[in-house]
Amino acid sequence: MTSAVHLRNVSRRYTVGTGEVFALRDVDLDIEQGEFVVVLGPSGSGKTTLLNLIGALDIASTGQVIVSGSEISSAPRHELFRFRRETVSFVFQSFNLFPTLTALENVQCAVEIAGRAKGAKQKAAAVLAEVGLAERVHHYPAELSGGEQQRVAIARALATGNPILVADEPTGDLDFHTGVQVLEVLQQQAALGHTVIVVTHNREISRIADRVIELSGGRVVRDGPPSGGKAAVADLHW
Amino acid sequence: MRLWFTLRWSARDLRKKWLQVAAIAFVIAIGTGVYSALGSTATWRRESNADSFAMTGMFDLRVKAAEGATAPAGALLAVLQHLPDPSVVSVAEERLIEPTQVDASTPGRSILVPGRIVGVDVSGGGPQLMIPFVAAGDGRALTAGDDGGATAVLERNFADFYDLPPGTTVRLSGDQSVTAVGLGLAPEYFFVTTEDGGFFAQANFAAVFVPLATAQRLTGLDGKVNDLVLNVRADVPVAEVKAQVTAAFAAADLGLGETVMTARDDTTYRLLYDDIDGDQKVDNVFAMLILAGAAFGAFNLASRMVEAQRREIGIAMALGSSRRQLALRPMLVGVQIALAGVVLGMGVGLLAIWALRPVYMTTLPMPVWHTGFQWAVFARGAALGFVLPLVATAWPVVRAVRMSPVDAITTTHRTARGGLAPLLRRLPWPRSAFRRMPIANVLRTPRRTLLTSLGIGAAVATLVAVLGMLDSFYGTVDANDREVLADHPDRVAVALDGFVKVDSDQFAALSSSPTVGAIEPVLRVGGHVRAVGQPMTSGFDVIVESIDMTSEVWTPTIAAGNSDHGIVISRTAADDLHLSVGDSVILTHPALSATGIAMVDTVVPIAGVHPSPYRFGVYLDRSQLAVFGADGLANAAYLLPSAGTTPDDVQRALFALPAVASVQPVSMSSTVLRNSMDSFTSVFRVLEGFILLLALLIAYNATSINADERARERATLFAFGLPVRRVMAIEIVEGLIYGLLGTAIGIGLGAVVVNWVASSVISTTMPELGMKVIISGTTILTAVLLGVVAVAVAPLLTLRRMRRMNVPGTLRIVE
Ligand SMILES: Nc1ncnc2c1ncn2[C@@H]1O[C@H](COP(=O)(O)OP(=O)(O)OP(=O)(O)O)[C@@H](O)[C@H]1O
Ligand SMILES: [Mg+2]
């Protein structure tokens, strides 16, 4: 069986002025369906770039990217749109909520975009409740705290029901309690068979992952189960 | 932050937004350029008048003999020798001017009009005063060699109206004919008026300039003259010489019954100068309107462009920048826009002049036309065009600086405070959050919605105002046509040489012509109406026509009241007098008395009103003529051609009759009216193009700025896999809503402007016209096409940008 995410010899190069910057360099990676993967690495190591390639927001300069059986690196444009709609859901580092839509509508909107207009509103309300925002559904992004906005963004990604969920620093702005809540939700998704890829600076979070991938200077420098074994969310402290 | 650093930074801003900056500058340029051109028309006309009159030798003084009186050639010049100082006269020439009938018919068309033979002194190689100027391509002027020959210069306005080329042979009264070797513009006929004050008379009046000896031969007045024109030395006051000339002629007692006139006593001269200010007033309204539309559009766009930088301003505030430093960068963008706008404005101004010049040259043909760039007017427009972008960019800076840095930084997250969200909540449709998105964008950011719609509205309003003016003018002409041409478009109007009894032979000669089907005698006199108890200075001039109100030929429509006891006046006139049916007016009219014809006042009731938009038409049933002591008299007639004959046949048959002065189909007067309207409105036609461009630019810019503001949202939608086409659909729907709002605002505003122009400007510059405000379906359609369709389609212009969007880049940017 093919893996959910399959990267071979992948590089992402930027030309800046006369020089070249490698955001990613010769990355080989396979992630199985239902895996909960944490990507660790210092700032500028290529974590966001990796997520963008997996989510088909960006195209590799060289190498092969196959996600859920789709060859992204060579797919035509309209294929990419369909792919994003049906396969990967994003939680962005800077929330990117629609400012003129309420929390509920932001989530509802994503469900509709994914092509499930029927019952979208109920679905959206349910997912918002899951991330602890049942009381805030009618708030606009401007009326929510940073952490709440982040949770709406997560709810928006979850609600699409896409098999792969990628999250860039989802707990960065959250307090411990809320952060744990979010991680539990993400873990639950993995348990339900979704592939979850979380990017973080926070080594502590990596303890609850099935697998930790460490990047440095655009290369994979470590790949394996968390050192010290997989921990439960309840055991985390930061 | 040093200045050069800021400069470089702002140059970078410019590079990123050069298209928007250029478009805003162009909007300003159209405003200032058109403003400067339109605002210059009075200057152009004054200069052109002055030089044209100078070049054609307009008289300073004219001695005009009474009708029928003549003097031997040389006798008039001799009188000047008896002036206290004969050297005050720099040039003087004698002329012979006699009425005639002109037949310039071409094989396909009868052209039979009253006219004048103007015999001029060619002994010096052509006249030095009152020169019929022949332009290149219009044949040649008269020379000394033409004296006595059958050559003439034909008045050009008449020739142009009937498309007569040089070389045309015209027949004159007494079976004479002359060949028009040239078409000429003479100062008395730059603008053709008739003795009784009819404007745009080129269709019904022909001046034929011939050498003096030829004129004497054609009229049988050998060796006679009846007119003297002269110019006064520059250092002598004309009024003084006028008094001396008047005295000298009185002393000479030539029995001429002469009048001494100055240039200002000449109708054409006076009209050409007096109309200038009134016309400029109308032009100014539109110049201002375009400038205001452009100004508002530019202000709106420039301030929104800077508004988008608010977050950066907040960050700079957080870093401790001074207000001056904060303001500098956005203001530099303002300066760039302003400078580009003013420079481009000169170009647009020249373009507008280039477009307007032929309009003036054809509608008011004069030998010299000056349409120079007027720096003073341009400077006035440009000052506004320069200050405005500065204010527009300073405004959002001031707004940003007033708030705390935290609020400024978080603008993107706090743009939506809900706005009109309660309204949205109650909106049952559409249910889908995705479909609600464009509506949500519109309702929840009311400030932006208002600015965008107002920007579009300003452009649409300008367009509607100009098109609405045209609609109203032509609607008025159409209304007049409906009234005048009504059931019988082939009606013919006959003017007689004088008053005749309806049962006289002269009148019988008309009615017995086989070409005449039905005939209606008309007594037409000039008069004046005013409200009872008001002085003569109130009220206005009218033309009183006594007709048989039961005639089958033509009667005015009676919109209210009847025609039994009193006069029928136009509704416009009644409104102007603040009177209605049953009220009385003072009618000043000519009446026969023991000593001759004198003007008398009669109080008459308004029996009814008719719907003509012109206020000068007053009708009186012939049964009431006895009251005015004019029972059975007529000096004109309306008639219908008999079965199988055309107005042309009638014209040929009746023009030859001795008592007939002129025969014209009534439709001709409507054509002339339409032509005069065309000349007035062709300026607006030129404007139309500029305004369309202006509106498109504003619409495009509003959309393009909107797209910039929404870039992140677009990218987010792309990240969720929404295809370009559906993102585009959201923006088109949003644009459609702005367009609808803007168009509604624009049409409303435009209608207000048209109403205002009609009620306050036109009513003072063209008081005889009761303009009906009409905004046609075509105008509404054009406005909707522009305001809704163009605005909604504008996002498509950003399609390329959207397709090539760097999604991760746009998402990551923390603006
Ligand atoms: N558009 C671009 N042009 C040039 N270089 C870029 C571009 N985008 C990213 N980079 C470079 O690629 C490298 C990886 O960037 P990336 O955003 O993936 O880092 P990251 O690991 O997500 O960092 P962080 O934890 O700070 O978010 C960085 O060194 C960055 O400078
Ligand atoms: Mg990152």
Side-chain angles (χ1 to χ4, degrees):
Chain A
M1 118 153 219
T2 54
S3 28
V5 177
H6 171 87
L7 272 67
R8 265 311 150 270
N9 250 326
V10 170
S11 293
R12 179 65 174 96
R13 222 171 34 236
Y14 291 107
T15 315
V16 177
T18 48
E20 288 205 324
V21 176
F22 277 89
L24 281 181
R25 193 190 283 261
D26 299 328
V27 172
D28 290 317
L29 202 60
D30 282 278
I31 297 172
E32 301 308 323
Q33 187 175 342
E35 259 191 309
F36 187 0
V37 178
V38 167
V39 180
L40 268 182
S43 184
S45 57
K47 306 183 294 292
T48 301
T49 307
L50 181 67
L51 286 196
N52 285 345
L53 291 181
I54 293 172
L57 286 188
D58 200 1
I59 301 294
S61 309
T62 54
Q64 199 182 30
V65 180
I66 300 175
V67 179
S68 277
S70 304
E71 160 90 66
I72 298 170
S73 33
S74 63
R77 242 169 43 87
H78 69 273
E79 273 295 316
L80 294 182
F81 276 106
R82 197 186 49 75
F83 171 83
R84 282 183 219 143
R85 209 156 51 231
E86 294 172 359
T87 313
V88 179
S89 292
F90 260 95
V91 178
F92 299 102
Q93 202 166 354
S94 49
F95 333 124
N96 287 331
L97 294 177
F98 299 113
T100 61
L101 298 186
T102 60
L104 184 68
E105 287 167 338
N106 261 288
V107 179
Q108 188 188 343
C109 183
V111 181
E112 285 168 12
I113 290 173
R116 285 176 276 273
K118 233 192 191 131
K121 199 166 183 170
Q122 289 73 11
K123 170 88 184 166
V127 182
L128 278 170
E130 269 181 64
V131 296
L133 285 178
E135 306 292 303
R136 296 280 185 275
V137 286
H138 293 307
H139 285 236
Y140 291 103
E143 297 161 349
L144 294 169
S145 75
E148 286 166 339
Q149 289 186 49
Q150 181 68 309
R151 279 185 282 161
V152 175
I154 290 169
R156 187 169 70 173
L158 293 182
T160 59
N162 290 348
I164 300 177
L165 186 75
V166 296
D168 201 344
E169 295 284 1
T171 58
D173 283 359
L174 308 184
D175 64 281
F176 174 71
H177 181 72
T178 326
V180 165
Q181 234 177 13
V182 166
L183 288 174
E184 275 175 335
V185 172
L186 292 176
Q187 211 174 33
Q188 212 176 2
Q189 294 298 309
L192 289 170
H194 295 258
T195 309
V196 180
I197 307 171
V198 179
V199 159
T200 181
H201 288 105
N202 193 326
R203 200 161 282 278
E204 183 67 15
I205 289 177
S206 68
R207 288 176 56 212
I208 63 161
D210 295 332
R211 176 176 167 192
V212 178
I213 297 169
E214 274 197 60
L215 291 179
S216 180
R219 295 179 195 271
V220 177
V221 292
R222 200 186 94 90
D223 186 354
S227 48
K230 181 172 170 164
V233 175
D235 297 336
L236 297 181
H237 40 78
W238 69 78
Chain B
M1 250 187 320
R2 289 225 204 89
L3 182 64
W4 67 264
F5 180 84
T6 314
L7 271 173
R8 262 191 16 200
W9 196 357
S10 132
R12 218 169 282 166
D13 291 342
L14 179 66
R15 195 158 54 217
K16 212 170 91 194
K17 304 227 183 250
W18 73 268
L19 207 66
Q20 280 171 16
V21 168
I24 299 172
F26 205 43
V27 166
I28 294 174
I30 291 179
T32 52
V34 173
Y35 173 88
S36 73
L38 269 188
S40 304
T41 57
T43 313
W44 293 343
R45 283 174 63 181
R46 280 214 177 80
E47 287 178 357
S48 307
N49 280 355
D51 284 2
S52 295
F53 281 122
M55 177 178 178
T56 52
M58 179 66 193
F59 61 76
D60 287 333
L61 288 175
R62 175 181 173 195
V63 181
K64 179 184 166 194
E67 204 171 312
T70 56
L76 304 181
L77 285 170
V79 175
L80 296 180
Q81 292 311 314
H82 296 104
L83 293 176
D85 172 11
S87 79
V88 296
V89 175
S90 55
V91 205
E93 278 175 357
E94 288 174 335
R95 304 193 292 178
L96 176 66
I97 302 173
E98 278 292 301
T100 187
Q101 296 207 320
V102 177
D103 177 356
S105 300
T106 57
R109 184 178 194 185
S110 296
I111 305 169
L112 301 159
V113 299
R116 225 168 271 163
I117 293 172
V118 182
V120 296
D121 186 350
V122 292
S123 56
Q128 289 174 275
L129 294 176
M130 307 312 276
I131 305 161
F133 168 83
V134 180
D138 282 343
R140 67 167 178 88
L142 295 172
T143 63
D146 292 323
D147 212 4
T151 49
V153 165
L154 190 60
E155 200 280 309
R156 199 180 98 186
N157 286 295
F158 166 77
D160 282 353
F161 186 87
Y162 290 106
D163 292 324
L164 301 172
T168 299
T169 298
V170 289
R171 284 160 299 283
L172 306 172
S173 301
D175 260 338
Q176 310 272 4
S177 69
V178 289
T179 302
V181 293
L183 309 178
L185 289 168
E188 286 158 300
Y189 306 103
F190 284 160
F191 182 72
V192 186
T193 61
T194 56
E195 302 274 82
D196 57 8
F199 298 160
F200 299 102
Q202 55 267 38
N204 199 22
F205 183 84
V208 182
F209 305 94
V210 293
L212 189 53
T214 309
Q216 289 165 342
R217 176 171 63 74
L218 290 172
T219 55
L221 294 168
D222 283 328
K224 304 284 193 198
V225 292
N226 60 4
D227 199 89
L228 176 74
V229 284
L230 60 97
N231 272 359
V232 172
R233 232 172 47 203
D235 57 323
V236 191
V238 173
E240 203 171 280
V241 182
K242 182 185 176 186
Q244 294 171 2
V245 170
T246 309
F249 271 90
D253 195 16
L254 296 173
L256 289 174
E258 73 282 337
T259 336
V260 182
M261 301 163 62
T262 61
R264 274 210 66 84
D265 297 327
D266 183 77
T267 318
T268 299
Y269 184 90
R270 201 176 50 243
L271 278 174
L272 277 181
Y273 276 103
D274 289 357
D275 273 2
I276 291 178
D277 289 325
D279 289 354
Q280 179 69 71
K281 214 165 143 187
V282 179
D283 287 346
N284 278 348
V285 168
F286 285 90
M288 293 294 221
L289 194 67
I290 291 177
L291 189 62
F296 186 81
F299 185 89
N300 190 342
L301 297 169
S303 71
R304 281 179 63 186
M305 215 172 107
V306 175
E307 186 101 26
Q309 292 183 343
R310 174 122 56 105
R311 202 180 151 88
E312 290 182 45
I313 294 173
I315 294 168
M317 273 202 284
L319 292 176
S321 288
S322 73
R323 285 174 188 216
R324 205 179 54 81
Q325 283 170 330
L326 286 175
L328 198 55
R329 186 163 72 103
M331 298 282 287
L332 277 173
V333 176
V335 171
Q336 287 158 354
I337 295 175
L339 279 176
V342 170
V343 171
L344 280 172
M346 280 187 259
V348 174
L350 288 172
L351 191 73
I353 290 175
W354 173 81
L356 283 174
R357 188 178 159 81
V359 169
Y360 281 103
M361 289 180 49
T362 51
T363 58
L364 269 181
M366 284 197 295
V368 186
W369 257 109
H370 294 296
T371 50
F373 196 83
Q374 299 299 314
W375 285 101
V377 184
F378 178 75
R380 237 182 296 148
L384 183 66
F386 192 84
V387 169
L388 215 83
L390 294 186
V391 178
T393 46
W395 186 48
V397 175
V398 170
R399 268 167 53 101
V401 169
R402 276 228 213 96
M403 40 174 79
S404 72
V406 186
D407 282 338
I409 290 172
T410 53
T411 38
T412 38
H413 294 283
R414 297 197 183 273
T415 44
R417 274 274 174 215
L420 301 175
L423 204 75
L424 184 70
R425 220 160 268 159
R426 256 179 274 131
L427 206 69
W429 176 93
R431 301 188 83 86
S432 148
F434 170 68
R435 296 236 167 80
R436 276 176 104 93
M437 201 137 148
I439 304 174
N441 285 342
V442 168
L443 283 180
R444 283 176 188 157
T445 50
R447 208 179 90 88
R448 170 161 53 182
T449 300
L450 191 73
L451 282 178
T452 309
S453 328
L454 280 179
I456 297 162
V460 172
T462 320
L463 186 76
V464 168
V466 168
L467 293 185
M469 282 308 293
L470 291 174
D471 289 343
S472 303
F473 274 123
Y474 286 103
T476 306
V477 176
D478 286 344
N480 184 60
D481 275 4
R482 272 196 302 280
E483 176 64 10
V484 171
L485 299 178
D487 310 325
H488 297 294
D490 56 351
R491 177 160 64 107
V492 176
V494 177
L496 302 176
D497 274 334
F499 296 98
V500 299
K501 279 277 184 192
V502 175
D503 51 17
S504 67
D505 290 347
Q506 288 111 312
F507 203 83
L510 283 181
S511 26
S512 60
S513 164
T515 60
V516 174
I519 188 162
E520 171 183 2
V522 177
L523 179 64
R524 184 190 295 131
V525 293
H528 181 97
V529 293
R530 61 187 199 269
V532 176
Q534 296 294 313
M536 192 70 182
T537 46
S538 81
F540 40 84
D541 290 342
V542 292
I543 294 169
V544 187
E545 287 191 357
S546 301
I547 55 176
D548 175 2
M549 289 289 190
T550 59
S551 164
E552 53 168 319
V553 179
W554 181 80
T555 56
T557 310
I558 306 294
N562 53 55
S563 57
D564 298 343
H565 298 288
I567 55 175
V568 177
I569 68 174
S570 74
R571 174 157 285 147
T572 320
D575 290 348
D576 284 359
L577 293 168
H578 305 292
L579 296 175
S580 49
V581 174
D583 295 335
S584 287
V585 291
I586 301 175
L587 176 66
T588 309
H589 60 94
L592 267 172
S593 72
T595 53
I597 294 176
M599 299 303 279
V600 298
D601 284 356
T602 309
V603 174
V604 285
I606 299 171
V609 292
H610 64 83
S612 166
Y614 296 95
R615 71 174 180 186
F616 49 70
V618 169
Y619 301 95
L620 176 76
D621 190 59
R622 290 188 68 83
S623 64
Q624 300 174 57
L625 267 181
V627 182
F628 296 91
D631 204 12
L633 282 185
N635 63 352
Y638 289 138
L639 53 84
L640 298 178
S642 57
T645 55
T646 63
D648 210 75
D649 299 330
V650 178
Q651 212 177 351
R652 280 174 191 286
L654 300 190
F655 196 64
L657 296 175
V660 171
S662 78
V663 186
Q664 285 285 4
V666 171
S667 61
M668 181 64 81
S669 69
S670 131
T671 307
V672 172
L673 215 57
R674 221 166 263 279
N675 279 0
S676 72
M677 229 25 123
D678 283 344
S679 69
F680 186 76
T681 54
S682 42
V683 174
F684 294 118
R685 296 252 173 252
V686 172
L687 293 189
E688 220 180 315
F690 281 105
I691 289 171
L692 218 58
L693 194 64
L694 183 73
L696 279 174
L697 271 173
I698 292 179
Y700 166 74
N701 252 15
T703 314
S704 154
I705 289 174
N706 228 18
D708 279 358
E709 288 174 348
R710 292 268 152 82
R712 242 160 96 104
E713 290 176 61
R714 277 179 171 185
T716 307
L717 286 169
F718 287 143
F720 273 87
L722 208 60
V724 171
R725 141 181 73 83
R726 291 183 65 191
V727 176
M728 192 55 95
I730 294 182
E731 302 208 352
I732 288 179
V733 171
E734 201 180 322
L736 211 63
I737 300 174
Y738 291 133
L740 278 171
L741 281 172
T743 306
I745 295 172
I747 291 176
L749 254 149
V752 168
V753 171
V754 176
N755 257 306
W756 174 73
V757 173
S759 68
S760 71
V761 182
I762 299 297
S763 66
T764 52
T765 57
M766 296 187 199
E768 64 286 348
L769 184 68
M771 200 169 79
K772 289 207 266 190
V773 173
I774 296 168
I775 295 184
S776 71
T778 320
T779 296
I780 301 282
L781 195 72
T782 314
V784 169
L785 268 180
L786 178 93
V788 180
V789 180
V791 172
V793 165
L796 288 176
L797 296 174
T798 62
L799 183 65
R800 220 169 82 100
R801 204 170 356 143
M802 207 189 270
R803 292 190 113 122
R804 296 168 145 206
M805 178 184 254
N806 172 3
V807 178
T810 311
L811 285 172
R812 189 174 37 224
I813 285 170
V814 183
E815 321 91 58

